[in-house]
Amino acid sequence: YSQWGEDLEIIKFFKNKKKGNYLDIGCFHPLMYSNTCLLNQNKWTGINIDLNQTTIDLFNILRPKDLNVCRIIGSEEKKVKVYFDSLFSPVNTADKNFYNTHKKKFFKNMFTREVISQKLSEIMFKNKMYKKIDFVNIDAEGMDYKILKQLNLKKLKVRLVAIETHHVNGQVSKDFSKILNFLKKKNFSLLKRYGPTSLFYKN
């Protein structure tokens, strides 16, 4: 289901783990390009967060046992402008710089909506059933590092993180070194890279 084959590596990593928990931020679609679909089919459950209500509606239909939330991960609760390429596009973003960089290639029929932002800790706290998260997936179109910094990897006992560190053309993203250093300090090492996505495992 993954765009670059990440899910096969993820399933291999958790081959002896049954009924784990995932956190998928920027989840986009419950099947297409999904790094958590195979886990879900292996009886895992989790939290799926996206800034597109249409995405969350699809998750509510296809993954009713998961917690599916339409939010932007931010530093405070407020309304934030979101730039939409379309209701079924993987590049919708709340990052204005990301929009400005990619608007010539995408966003031909751009429209905006306001979505509520909320701290990740508040979403997690309100759902105490998820005190432990085995796998975290972050694909937030320019906001990946900001979201990563909000994660308490130790408290949640995260074992594997998938996060975008590169562009499709292979060039590193603007926050590549920050992501690398942050995870290194948390005792995570690079497992493998698939296209734009890097997988980091807990040492």
Side-chain angles (χ1 to χ4, degrees):
Y1 296 95
S2 293
Q3 188 172 11
W4 305 94
E6 302 97 313
D7 55 352
L8 297 178
E9 189 71 37
I10 293 163
I11 284 291
K12 180 181 176 182
F13 182 86
F14 288 110
K15 61 183 178 181
N16 296 319
K17 176 72 175 177
K18 295 182 179 180
K19 296 184 179 180
N21 295 322
Y22 49 77
L23 171 63
D24 194 348
I25 303 172
C27 52
F28 174 58
H29 196 281
L31 299 175
M32 186 168 61
Y33 302 159
S34 176
N35 289 344
T36 57
C37 185
L38 274 183
L39 293 174
N40 180 259
Q41 291 179 356
N42 279 271
K43 298 183 179 180
W44 284 45
T45 56
I47 303 174
N48 306 297
I49 303 171
D50 199 272
L51 47 68
N52 185 357
Q53 184 60 51
T54 300
T55 287
I56 298 306
D57 291 342
L58 288 172
F59 270 84
N60 283 332
I61 293 169
L62 293 177
R63 299 197 202 175
K65 293 182 180 180
D66 284 4
L67 173 69
N68 307 305
V69 183
C70 183
R71 283 290 188 274
I72 293 168
I73 305 303
S75 58
E76 59 181 322
E77 189 167 326
K78 63 178 182 179
K79 291 182 179 180
V80 176
K81 180 187 285 188
V82 175
Y83 302 88
F84 280 84
D85 177 42
S86 78
L87 289 179
F88 297 98
S89 172
V91 298
N92 300 331
T93 182
D95 188 313
K96 190 174 182 179
N97 291 329
F98 182 91
Y99 163 68
N100 286 330
T101 301
H102 297 278
K103 64 183 179 181
K104 290 183 179 179
K105 184 176 181 180
F106 304 105
F107 302 97
K108 302 300 182 183
N109 300 298
M110 189 274 289
F111 62 95
T112 63
R113 289 182 177 175
E114 289 188 332
V115 179
I116 299 295
S117 68
Q118 191 174 7
K119 288 182 178 179
L120 182 58
S121 59
E122 293 178 358
I123 296 174
M124 302 297 290
F125 179 76
K126 290 179 180 178
N127 299 277
K128 295 180 180 179
M129 58 186 288
Y130 293 103
K131 291 182 179 180
K132 180 181 178 183
I133 299 291
D134 301 284
F135 171 63
V136 173
N137 186 72
I138 303 175
D139 183 358
E141 312 309 325
M143 298 180 65
D144 306 74
Y145 177 61
K146 291 179 181 178
I147 293 170
L148 179 65
K149 288 194 299 180
Q150 290 198 30
L151 270 170
N152 190 330
L153 296 169
K154 184 177 180 180
K155 184 177 180 180
L156 293 172
K157 298 180 181 179
V158 176
R159 294 178 56 199
L160 188 68
V161 174
I163 186 168
E164 288 205 344
T165 56
H166 290 68
H167 301 293
V168 175
N169 62 9
Q171 293 181 336
V172 297
S173 65
K174 63 181 177 65
D175 291 326
F176 171 74
S177 60
K178 293 179 181 178
I179 292 171
L180 209 62
N181 290 333
F182 179 88
L183 288 169
K184 185 177 180 180
K185 289 179 181 178
K186 303 296 181 180
N187 295 317
F188 279 77
S189 297
L190 179 66
L191 176 64
K192 204 165 185 178
R193 180 166 72 87
Y194 290 84
T197 305
S198 292
L199 298 174
F200 296 87
Y201 69 96
K202 180 66 184 298
N203 293 315

